[in-house]
Amino acid sequence: MPGCALPNTPLAGALPGINACVHCGFCLQSCPTYLNLEDENDSPRGRIFLMRSLLEGTVKPDDASVQLHIDQCLGCRACEPVCPSGVPYGQLLEATRATLYEYRPTPFIARLILFVFAREWLLRPAMFFSRALAATPIPTLLSGIKGRLGFAMAMLASTGRSIERSNYKPVTRGERGTVATLRGCVMEGLFSTTNRATERVLTVNGYSIVGAPGQKCCGALHAHAGHLEDARALARRNIVAFERSGATFIAVNAAGCGAIMKEYGHLLKDDPEWHQRAVNLSARVRDVSELLAAAGPREGGPLPVKVTYDAPCHLIHAQRVNEAPLSVLTAIPGLELVPLHDFDQCCGSAGIYNLIEPDTSDAVLAPKLANIRDTRASWVATGNPGCLMQIGAGLIRAEISARAIHPVDLLDASYAAFGQ
Amino acid sequence: MVAERLAEIVGPAHVLSRQSELLVYNSDGLPGYRRQPRLAVFPGTRDEAIAVVRFLAAERLPFVPRGAGTGLSGGALADDIVVVGLHRLKKIISLDVENRRATVEPGVVNLRLNKHVAPHGLLYAPDPSSEAACTIGGNVAENAGGPHCLKYGVTLNHVLAMTVVLPSGEIVELGSKVGERDGYDLRGAFIGSEGCFGLALEITVKLTPKPQAVRTLLADFTSVDKAAHVTSAIIASGIVPAALEFMDGATIRVVEDSIYAAGYPRDAEAILLIELDGLEAGVVADQETVRRICLDGGARQVRVARDDAERMKLWQGRKKAFGAMGRLAPHLIVQDAVIPRTKLPEILATIHAVSEKYSVMVCNVFHAGDGNLHPNIAYSADDPAESERVHKAMVEIMQACIAAGGSITGEHGVGLDKLGYMESIFSETSLNAMCELRGVFDPERRSNPGKVVPVHACKEWHGIPGSAKSRGAREASPLEAEPSRPIAR
Amino acid sequence: MSTERVAAAIRDSVAASRPLRISGRGMWLDAGRPVRADATLSLKDDSGVVSYVPGDLTLTVRAGTPLAEIADVTSERDQWLPLDPYGSPDGSIGATLATASAGPLASSFGLARDLVLGVEFVNGSGETIRGGGKVVKNVAGFDLSRLLTGSWGTLGVITEATLRLYARPAVDRTFVIDLGGPEKHVTSIVRAIVTSPLAPYALLLLSASAARSIGVGESPACLIRFGGNEAVVRAQVGALSQLSRPEELETKIWLAVRQLDGNSHSTIRISSLPQRVVAHAARMLHEDIPFIRTSIDPRRGILRIAVDSDGEVDQRELRADLRVTEENGGGASEVIFEKLPPEVWAQVSPSVVADGLSRGIRTAYDPHNVLNPGILGD
């Protein structure tokens, strides 16, 4: 491009990705915001065009409508697996948000959340408070009220509704290698049951768990919001912690976290000191379902429940993991797996999107809830905390009896029914 | 003022007037051309669409109808005038399984219609490669084709009737939903009119029963010439394949690098993708004939897709080839000429010679059975010298196709891109007859002005009652753009 | 005769204000409404093949070329133009296109408009115009060849046409099924054939009088024509035998079918939704009126009634018309009068080109109203 309007910005570095777009439009129908908002500015092709226009200088980075349309992207990356040219849309979006960040700060609530997530001394009490709150009837009582507070309460209420299971003690044989798990901020804060279940089911399937002290938030939310420096700082800390663990694999049970960790190499591509270390670490990252599927997984005890599966965007689109979660579910005897229409469509959670762009988020969630209702399943399995809370909250508010659950929790309950 | 009035009709969320929001509407699927619209309006119902057109008529404002913006001729570009987007009109109004027809709004996406009718054992035959994104309304405007049009015919052969709002705001019914009609074939005249005759708001299409048996063959060749001769031989044999597609080596490798990798042989210089369908017994016999023609013609191997999954994969690779070329270079230009099928080997040799002469990379992926060529050139528009060579190469290829007795466009339409070539295949009186036809549907030339027929070919242009000369002169400006000259994106 | 001579004739007629009746080879002169013209412009002498490239499966001919000549030329290369309009094979291709005539093959190969790739014509100002082209796929410019097809010479005189050809099938066999049984039985056979995967080239149901006139028996009958490679025809004949007892006929029976109209004094075509036609087919076939020959193409949804000259004719014709129209649910069908006695035309229906667009096109292409004035009720 002759004469770049925004030299030396993350967006300028993303030009090759932008150039790969031939404007064919095959992405349009995959995009939840385009289908709902019906304006090409809110489509992948349109947003890429805006990015290009920013670089050409035909629009300015402080233009409110450009910021709006970039903000309104869910970052679900459903456009990536349909793109014939292989445009790395997720990376372009992060680069754009990082570039625009200077011209307009992130909304207050988002800044607050990101600030907290980056600091463990704040994160722990915040999560403790949330967990304590979730254990009370307050969230459920408040979940019916209108607006974001009601939705936030419903999200909290949904975290307290996992499946009952008895204790069992998994036997470690460890023939499949050592695994360190990413504990994650939200997962450890609100879904600690799932984290423990993850460790147990991996153990049952022949992995031996090792600790990785010093690990931090994965940085995904920061990267998605364009706070790339914060994300890089967190990534470096995690690289150190997981290198030190010596584990063969790093297991992640949150799809959003897994996606960014698999892309640490890209995140640190301009940092000569860390780039190779990041690439090496990324190569060892696996979604928990991938490790389980590689091991079979082992069959458990009977669990006669009706389950449907919703694919987290960051698992199916970003990590391209399609089959593994299904093989986790089908390993459970007695479990009836019913297909979910549009299971590969975004639920509207998109990290903290549902707290910042509530209207679009609701519009995207509505058809998801209707499809879930149609399955008559009692559980919706999905492997990402954002989706668990978004769908969980939606189900509570729409008074649908199904509950959202991590696939690992179902497998764990099956092993518990077996007594291991 | 105009924006406010339009917002009263469709709601403020569906009118764009900020320059920065209109940017993304300044090109279609061929972004070598850019024109900045003044306004964009997206009606959400049929009544809103009619109200918008009537308002524009009352204000005598020119406009451009737009579907999904996947066209490849610059046909949906609006030069400082109003874009009327019809993508929000996406209801499938009715489906009559017994009589095999469906009535849809113009914004219904081609593939969505097909998914909707598939459970009933039916399909909508025209299948442009952009089927996953393009709309039926756009298909009607362009008379869209696709690989399977070889056997099943183009959009024209599958649209029975339309409810159209003329640029004046008048509503007319063209064709007949229940049968064949006497009188002029206004339906036939409207299909392929590239948005110059008005907007189709309701379209009744014919559906086709799914064939009993389908076989997809992949024949690979070590030379383009052999594949071209085999194509001619298959056509001459009298077998009408459902589709007969050609991809050259460069295209094969681009597709194999993409997520639509179909398992095409990377070392081949050409492949033919041949689909046969119909009754099981007939297909089996034709399959053997086609296989023999391929092998006799020098095919290295002829592979038959084992199952539907493999079949889909072979087709996805073909249909996404255009998009996949983005990985070659930042910019892409594609042509759409049609040649007599016996001339295929000769013209492919010419294309090769031209690409060497100007040292440009041409990827050929096209509907060989119809003789409908799609030479794609990937290049960088930032390099003026390369752009110049690309332009010259495309002109030379086009001239060779015209000289061979061909047409300048088989399915993409004239739009802006091929305007300059119209005079090389049509006489002045023929172009004027087209202008006159347009003048009946749109006397003020307000709907998609400056497309399809060069304005100076319309001898009575300045004599149209009610068409202000000043407006006419301003509209004429986009027309004077040089044909096929890609403009840097 | 050349295009230039046609153009000169039209310019002369404009200059002399003397409208022209346009005629191909004069085989269908009694079709259509009365034309208000004293002079006739015949294209009979403007005939012959302009170019034929068998490998391209395209043929360009002058408008006065008889269909029979096209059949002869193409059959030498094992090809054909699958267009079999009712009437004499000596009729011209120009007239076939101008009147958008088609026959039983249309349900497989399409109507006239589907087989035309391009036309050359002379408009009412004597200007020579080309629409379409010579290749099988073409969207360059507005579609004038579709517009001219079926315009009955009122927008221009077609002087040349490029047509899409097909290879003649290796096997081409025709069978007849007796439909003399009870109505219910007939309906179920017809329905079974139409909904089966069978893909006949042509499928035509005939009333007893129609069957009699072409010599295939005394009761209603179904003619069915299969074409393609040996295997596909054999498979279809086998499947048909499961449904009924077909008897083979010689393929030339279709030449007789094209003469079904005979010297009828009226021919009416009713076009409706295919399933509606199927539902009523048995009843219409069984109503045996000696002077009315009914034929039905159930896949295309076409019912054709040819009424013979006879004292009682007017009443009968009216009855037939009303009956089918009623049974088809009134407005849910299109009625096309192919041929009527001159005096009846005025009564049956208004002009088919009375709408604003059609009138506008007519005025644009024939501003002096010299081409076949009156033929479309204009």
Side-chain angles (χ1 to χ4, degrees):
Chain A
M1 177 167 305
C4 174
L6 298 169
N8 304 317
T9 56
L11 191 55
L15 183 64
I18 292 173
N19 276 342
C21 173
V22 293
H23 223 247
C24 68
F26 293 175
C27 52
L28 295 175
Q29 294 294 315
S30 74
C31 176
T33 56
Y34 176 71
L35 293 178
N36 279 287
L37 300 170
E38 299 175 314
D39 175 5
E40 236 184 78
N41 283 292
D42 288 305
S43 75
R45 177 169 84 169
R47 293 187 180 111
I48 293 169
F49 205 95
L50 290 176
M51 296 172 194
R52 175 188 294 281
S53 302
L54 283 166
L55 290 176
E56 285 174 350
T58 37
V59 288
K60 299 281 169 262
D62 57 0
D63 187 296
S65 59
V66 173
Q67 292 179 344
L68 173 73
H69 298 301
I70 296 295
D71 281 350
Q72 282 185 162
C73 178
L74 291 155
C76 72
R77 296 167 67 177
C79 47
E80 286 187 26
V82 298
C83 176
S85 265
V87 172
Y89 181 82
Q91 292 171 9
L92 302 188
L93 181 69
E94 283 172 9
T96 309
R97 286 184 171 160
T99 306
L100 293 182
Y101 175 52
E102 292 187 20
Y103 296 87
R104 191 197 57 164
T106 317
F108 174 72
I109 181 161
R111 260 184 302 142
L112 182 66
I113 295 171
L114 296 173
F115 184 79
V116 171
F117 274 39
R119 287 157 187 84
E120 208 167 342
W121 56 272
L122 274 174
L123 183 61
R124 282 191 182 198
M127 284 298 170
F128 175 79
F129 175 72
S130 299
R131 204 160 50 227
L133 192 61
T136 71
I138 297 171
T140 313
L141 289 172
L142 295 182
S143 65
I145 63 172
K146 282 205 167 65
R148 278 303 97 180
L149 177 64
F151 199 88
M153 286 301 147
M155 284 169 67
L156 271 183
S158 73
T159 64
R161 310 206 311 165
S162 192
I163 194 166
E164 304 248 332
R165 71 204 93 162
S166 52
N167 285 327
Y168 69 96
K169 197 164 165 50
V171 177
T172 311
R173 283 194 289 139
E175 76 275 15
R176 291 195 163 263
T178 52
V179 170
T181 59
L182 175 81
R183 304 174 78 170
C185 15
V186 182
M187 287 308 293
E188 192 59 25
L190 295 175
F191 294 91
S192 57
T193 324
T194 305
N195 272 359
R196 299 295 88 73
T198 300
E199 290 157 9
R200 284 194 294 270
V201 298
L202 285 171
T203 306
V204 170
N205 281 283
Y207 297 97
S208 111
I209 308 292
V210 296
Q215 61 169 282
K216 298 282 165 197
C217 169
C218 65
L221 294 179
H222 305 80
H224 298 163
H227 299 204
L228 294 179
E229 276 317 316
D230 291 350
R232 289 185 187 118
L234 291 166
R236 291 188 192 99
R237 302 279 295 271
N238 282 328
I239 291 169
V240 171
F242 284 105
E243 278 176 349
R244 204 182 291 145
S245 76
T248 322
F249 300 112
I250 293 117
V252 185
N253 60 9
C257 308
I260 186 88
M261 292 184 74
K262 286 182 177 178
E263 290 172 11
Y264 273 176
H266 173 75
L267 186 65
L268 293 168
K269 66 177 188 313
D270 296 328
D271 186 338
E273 201 182 319
W274 287 84
H275 178 238
Q276 195 50 49
R277 290 171 76 179
V279 169
N280 294 346
L281 182 88
S282 290
R284 286 152 61 203
V285 174
R286 299 285 185 281
D287 186 73
V288 60
S289 63
E290 292 180 276
L291 293 174
L292 292 170
R298 286 192 176 193
E299 200 173 281
L303 197 65
V305 286
K306 194 167 176 175
V307 177
T308 192
Y309 174 70
D310 186 60
C313 294
H314 281 90
L315 196 55
I316 188 165
H317 304 314
Q319 299 188 48
R320 313 273 163 94
V321 174
N322 302 320
E323 300 297 328
L326 295 171
S327 64
V328 169
L329 296 171
T330 49
I332 301 171
L335 182 145
E336 184 194 351
L337 185 62
V338 287
L340 177 64
H341 184 65
D342 283 344
F343 76 100
D344 54 354
Q345 290 275 312
C346 183
C347 65
S349 158
I352 52 176
Y353 185 96
N354 51 5
L355 299 173
I356 305 165
E357 299 286 344
D359 294 342
T360 314
S361 174
D362 283 352
V364 173
L365 178 59
K368 178 71 69 191
L369 295 175
N371 289 331
I372 292 172
R373 189 200 307 261
D374 290 346
T375 65
R376 300 170 176 276
S378 47
W379 298 96
V380 188
T382 186
N384 189 48
C387 311
L388 283 166
M389 287 194 283
Q390 167 87 349
I391 294 173
L395 292 170
I396 290 175
R397 306 236 306 170
E399 298 181 348
I400 298 169
S401 63
R403 287 190 270 170
I405 190 166
H406 198 292
V408 155
D409 281 313
L410 287 166
L411 186 64
D412 187 51
S414 164
Y415 289 155
F418 205 56
Q420 133 113 355
Chain B
M1 171 60 195
V2 171
E4 284 86 63
R5 293 282 298 282
L6 288 171
E8 283 169 25
I9 300 172
V10 301
H14 303 295
V15 177
L16 304 182
S17 53
R18 290 176 60 109
Q19 189 261 351
S20 58
E21 286 188 300
L22 288 162
L23 269 181
V24 305
Y25 293 92
N26 78 6
S27 64
D28 57 10
L30 195 67
Y33 291 94
R34 286 191 188 185
R35 299 285 185 274
Q36 175 81 5
R38 182 182 295 179
L39 271 178
V41 54
F42 311 135
T45 64
R46 182 192 143 117
D47 288 345
E48 284 180 9
I50 295 169
V52 165
V53 171
R54 289 189 175 155
F55 169 74
L56 295 172
E59 300 290 319
R60 306 185 67 178
L61 290 169
F63 62 91
V64 179
R66 180 180 163 114
T70 55
L72 293 171
S73 60
L77 304 199
D79 192 4
D80 200 25
I81 57 175
V82 180
V83 167
V84 181
L86 296 168
H87 56 280
R88 294 181 64 220
L89 299 177
K90 51 189 177 187
K91 272 206 294 288
I92 294 174
I93 298 168
S94 66
L95 168 62
D96 178 352
V97 174
E98 271 210 323
N99 291 300
R100 295 171 184 160
R101 53 197 68 194
T103 300
V104 302
E105 290 190 328
V108 169
V109 168
N110 179 304
L111 191 63
R112 200 181 134 233
L113 173 61
N114 259 313
K115 283 186 174 165
H116 186 79
V117 303
H120 305 284
L122 298 172
L123 55 89
Y124 174 65
D127 61 338
S129 293
S130 56
E131 63 191 359
C134 64
T135 63
I136 300 292
N139 291 174
V140 167
E142 300 298 315
N143 190 12
H148 288 81
C149 292
L150 175 58
K151 177 171 178 179
Y152 291 98
V154 293
T155 303
L156 179 80
N157 309 104
H158 296 272
V159 171
L160 300 167
M162 288 164 291
T163 304
V164 166
V165 56
L166 298 177
S168 64
E170 187 192 342
I171 311 287
V172 292
E173 304 284 333
L174 307 182
S176 164
K177 283 185 188 182
V178 293
E180 295 162 14
R181 187 178 260 183
D182 220 353
Y184 302 146
D185 187 4
L186 301 176
R187 174 208 63 95
F190 186 90
I191 296 168
S193 60
E194 303 195 23
C196 295
F197 288 8
L199 314 179
L201 296 180
E202 227 180 271
I203 301 155
T204 300
V205 300
K206 191 164 87 184
L207 302 171
T208 306
K210 247 181 224 161
Q212 189 187 55
V214 184
R215 294 283 191 293
T216 307
L217 283 70
L218 178 74
D220 72 87
F221 299 84
T222 49
S223 87
V224 163
D225 190 55
K226 282 180 192 161
H229 277 102
V230 163
T231 300
S232 299
I234 293 173
I235 295 301
S237 79
I239 290 174
V240 183
L244 172 46
E245 300 286 306
F246 182 110
M247 292 167 87
D248 67 7
T251 310
I252 293 167
R253 291 181 276 280
V254 152
V255 170
E256 287 304 308
D257 285 341
S258 82
I259 52 158
Y260 293 102
Y264 304 145
R266 275 178 169 277
D267 58 342
E269 279 316 307
I271 55 171
L272 292 178
L273 197 57
I274 308 154
E275 189 152 285
L276 301 164
D277 72 8
L279 294 169
E280 179 71 34
V283 170
V284 169
D286 282 350
Q287 181 185 323
E288 193 39 44
T289 312
V290 169
R291 208 179 66 87
R292 216 173 33 241
I293 294 174
C294 290
L295 292 174
D296 291 351
R300 218 164 37 165
Q301 201 197 340
V302 181
R303 195 174 107 199
V304 184
R306 283 179 306 268
D307 50 24
D308 268 2
E310 190 179 351
R311 219 170 67 69
M312 289 306 296
K313 221 170 141 188
L314 290 175
W315 274 115
Q316 281 300 305
R318 161 62 187 90
K319 291 195 169 178
K320 302 296 158 83
F322 171 73
M325 286 172 199
R327 55 188 70 234
L328 289 178
H331 303 97
L332 187 63
I333 187 158
V334 57
Q335 281 301 359
D336 179 39
V338 190
I339 53 160
R341 295 169 283 191
T342 43
K343 300 277 175 68
L344 204 51
E346 186 186 310
I347 293 288
L348 285 176
T350 305
I351 291 177
H352 182 71
V354 169
S355 74
E356 302 253 286
K357 176 175 165 190
Y358 292 103
S359 44
V360 294
M361 192 207 300
V362 179
C363 295
N364 284 299
V365 45
F366 61 93
H367 313 304
D370 289 319
N372 187 183
L373 302 172
H374 291 320
N376 293 266
I377 303 185
Y379 70 106
S380 169
D382 303 335
D383 177 345
E386 189 183 10
S387 299
E388 188 61 27
R389 292 200 312 274
V390 168
H391 174 62
K392 283 185 175 156
M394 273 301 184
V395 170
E396 214 160 293
I397 290 171
M398 199 66 129
Q399 280 165 347
C401 294
I402 294 170
S407 170
I408 57 172
T409 174
E411 54 184 12
H412 295 172
V414 176
L416 274 183
D417 185 44
K418 299 171 197 80
L419 209 49
Y421 295 110
M422 284 294 277
E423 284 158 296
S424 51
I425 59 166
F426 289 114
S427 68
E428 200 186 317
T429 50
S430 300
L431 290 173
N432 190 56
M434 291 179 192
C435 289
E436 287 178 333
L437 180 60
R438 188 233 170 98
V440 173
F441 282 87
D442 179 16
E444 297 177 356
R445 268 84 168 165
R446 283 187 300 104
S447 190
N448 211 1
K451 308 284 168 59
V452 186
V453 181
V455 159
H456 57 261
C458 299
K459 65 180 178 192
E460 88 291 26
W461 172 248
H462 294 290
I464 293 302
S467 77
K469 279 200 177 182
S470 59
R471 186 180 295 142
R474 196 172 59 70
E475 280 162 29
S477 62
L479 298 176
E480 311 310 333
E482 291 166 68
S484 266
R485 179 179 289 275
I487 294 154
R489 292 193 282 188
Chain C
M1 188 150 202
S2 67
T3 305
E4 188 35 52
R5 284 178 59 194
V6 171
I10 292 175
R11 283 194 296 265
D12 289 349
S13 87
V14 172
S17 303
R18 211 162 71 119
L20 295 169
R21 172 177 189 133
I22 318 302
S23 152
R25 300 188 74 82
M27 307 306 293
W28 287 313
L29 283 182
D30 49 357
R33 297 171 199 243
V35 175
R36 298 185 303 271
D38 308 325
T40 293
L41 173 60
S42 166
L43 283 94
K44 196 170 174 182
D45 299 332
D46 193 1
S47 106
V49 171
V50 177
S51 71
Y52 177 27
V53 187
D56 288 332
L57 290 146
T58 57
L59 172 72
T60 302
V61 288
R62 298 299 295 173
T65 312
L67 294 175
E69 186 181 332
I70 293 175
D72 287 346
V73 169
T74 54
S75 73
E76 278 173 27
R77 307 301 301 255
D78 277 332
Q79 296 181 349
W80 65 334
L81 173 68
L83 190 58
D84 55 348
Y86 294 94
S88 164
D90 293 329
S92 72
I93 185 68
T96 305
L97 299 181
T99 57
S101 297
L105 286 169
S107 55
S108 292
F109 292 93
L111 299 164
R113 67 180 192 217
D114 300 310
L115 298 166
V116 183
L117 301 174
V119 293
E120 179 198 74
F121 64 96
V122 181
N123 69 8
S125 304
E127 295 168 332
T128 303
I129 296 162
R130 274 185 182 274
K134 296 196 170 185
V135 286
V136 295
K137 201 172 170 192
N138 193 354
V139 295
F142 301 129
D143 198 340
L144 303 183
S145 38
R146 234 56 57 187
L147 188 67
L148 264 285
T149 306
S151 65
W152 290 75
T154 61
L155 302 181
V157 177
I158 297 175
T159 49
E160 192 177 297
T162 301
L163 305 158
R164 176 197 283 267
L165 302 178
Y166 284 82
R168 268 203 176 279
V171 181
D172 185 354
R173 295 171 70 184
T174 297
F175 297 83
V176 63
I177 299 167
D178 187 320
L179 296 181
E183 274 185 21
K184 235 183 178 166
H185 181 63
V186 170
T187 304
S188 74
I189 289 185
V190 173
R191 211 179 278 275
I193 294 174
V194 170
T195 56
S196 74
L198 290 179
Y201 273 13
L203 175 66
L204 198 65
L205 314 178
L206 302 169
S207 68
S209 54
R212 204 178 302 126
S213 80
I214 61 164
V216 293
E218 291 294 322
S219 49
C222 167
L223 292 184
I224 186 163
R225 180 176 191 176
F226 296 117
N229 59 41
E230 172 70 38
V232 75
V233 173
R234 196 173 345 107
Q236 292 191 90
V237 174
L240 185 65
S241 307
Q242 307 286 310
L243 296 171
S244 61
R245 263 168 302 160
E247 275 178 53
E248 184 150 13
L249 296 174
E250 282 191 57
T251 308
K252 69 176 185 218
I253 189 70
W254 294 102
L255 282 175
V257 168
R258 289 170 72 172
Q259 303 295 338
L260 251 185
D261 295 4
N263 43 8
S264 71
H265 95 332
S266 300
T267 302
I268 302 163
R269 187 163 93 230
I270 291 157
S271 157
S272 187
L273 293 172
Q275 285 306 313
R276 187 167 285 155
V277 171
V278 168
H280 296 284
R283 199 138 50 89
M284 291 187 280
L285 293 173
H286 276 75
E287 199 159 339
D288 188 18
I289 306 167
F291 302 108
I292 295 183
R293 294 183 298 280
T294 305
S295 61
I296 294 174
D297 184 335
R299 291 187 300 169
R300 217 175 117 202
I302 293 284
L303 165 68
R304 251 176 127 260
I305 301 159
V307 186
D308 272 352
S309 304
D310 185 83
E312 294 175 78
V313 145
D314 281 2
Q315 268 186 342
R316 287 183 181 283
E317 170 229 306
L318 208 61
R319 252 175 52 199
D321 174 22
L322 290 178
R323 177 168 50 88
V324 288
T325 311
E326 218 171 338
E327 281 168 1
N328 282 325
S333 56
E334 301 283 347
V335 181
I336 297 169
F337 298 95
E338 291 189 10
K339 185 166 142 192
L340 285 179
E343 64 278 11
V344 186
W345 274 110
Q347 304 163 26
V348 288
S349 70
S351 162
V352 292
V353 290
D355 61 290
L357 288 175
S358 298
R359 274 189 288 118
I361 295 171
R362 175 74 202 259
T363 309
Y365 281 67
D366 181 17
H368 313 289
N369 205 19
V370 294
L371 303 178
N372 269 351
I375 200 163
L376 288 171
D378 48 328

